[in-house]
Amino acid sequence: MNAPLTHIAGRAYPFGMKNCDTDVIIGAEWLKTISRQGLGTGAFAALRAMPGHILAAPKYAGSPILIAGDNFGCGSSREHAAWALADFGIRTIVAPSFSDIFSSNAFKNGILTLTLPQQVVDHLMAIASEQSFVIDLEAQRVASSAGDIFDFEIDPFRKYCLLNGLDEIDITLSLADKISRFEEDSPHPSVAVRRPRSQALA
């Protein structure tokens, strides 16, 4: 079960990188584990090792929001990328667009992928060094401490799951009674009739 996501408040990393692929998010050397714990250490490790990189700046440390460029999460389908970001403390990623597979993986791990127009993302990037943000998932609204307010769209099912901290296993378990009733009411599958093997032609 994921932690319920209702309001995300704090600073945002003004990352902005376009076409950031999953190799950048988490390097191949971190893929030997099936545990989600500790992968935050490897999140953007190569970039954070660069002197002065925004992702390593103390003023943004612990920020729950990442502002990214177009086509974020492209590349491989590794779910480790979402695990690493969640363990790094990212709860919401704001970008003009996302890779479909990454967006799905992020959702399954309790991360909101929030799509906004490029000009809005550019504005948020420009003020992130001085302002903080509040993302209200219920109201579907992003607000800055400077007074900006931007509405966003989200799939209703994903919104429900994120608000309630539900993953696919939780959803299946919530339907356990209905599944049991369906199995009880369904007729037993018929036994397949065996047919004799065809005789070889003389």
Side-chain angles (χ1 to χ4, degrees):
M1 187 170 186
N2 299 314
L5 190 154
T6 54
H7 292 78
I8 305 93
R11 301 296 296 269
Y13 292 99
F15 181 48
M17 181 179 178
K18 294 183 179 181
N19 300 310
C20 177
D21 64 32
T22 50
D23 289 315
V24 174
I25 298 172
I26 185 77
E29 65 273 19
W30 294 88
L31 303 184
K32 299 175 183 179
T33 178
I34 57 173
S35 173
R36 307 181 189 193
Q37 302 299 318
L39 282 181
T41 303
F44 300 115
L47 297 181
R48 291 192 289 118
M50 297 179 181
H53 197 280
I54 201 75
L55 290 172
K59 70 183 293 184
Y60 300 111
S63 296
I65 304 166
L66 181 77
I67 305 174
D70 196 41
N71 196 29
F72 185 85
C74 57
S76 73
S77 61
R78 64 185 66 164
E79 193 172 5
H80 293 69
W83 294 353
L85 290 170
D87 197 54
F88 189 61
I90 300 298
R91 299 300 311 277
T92 302
I93 305 168
V94 181
S97 67
F98 295 87
S99 157
D100 289 340
I101 295 176
F102 173 81
S103 182
S104 177
N105 286 338
F107 156 67
K108 293 173 183 178
N109 287 278
I111 299 173
L112 170 64
T113 52
L114 197 163
T115 303
L116 289 173
Q118 183 67 61
Q119 62 183 21
V120 175
V121 173
D122 291 342
H123 175 70
L124 298 180
M125 284 280 297
I127 67 174
S129 62
E130 301 297 333
Q131 307 297 330
S132 59
F133 303 92
V134 175
I135 298 173
D136 185 338
L137 179 55
E138 181 64 46
Q140 297 181 204
R141 182 168 296 172
V142 179
S144 77
S145 54
D148 302 295
I149 296 177
F150 302 102
D151 294 327
F152 62 89
E153 298 296 322
I154 183 173
D155 175 79
F157 175 72
R158 289 192 173 189
K159 178 179 178 178
Y160 172 79
C161 291
L162 289 169
L163 284 171
N164 292 281
L166 300 175
D167 59 21
E168 291 175 321
I169 295 175
D170 297 315
I171 295 168
T172 302
L173 291 175
S174 71
L175 299 172
D177 290 341
K178 292 183 179 179
I179 294 172
S180 295
R181 287 197 297 271
F182 174 80
E183 291 178 339
E184 291 171 358
D185 295 340
S186 297
H188 294 291
S190 58
V191 178
V193 178
R194 291 187 178 182
R195 296 184 178 181
R197 296 179 180 178
S198 299
Q199 298 295 323
L201 294 177

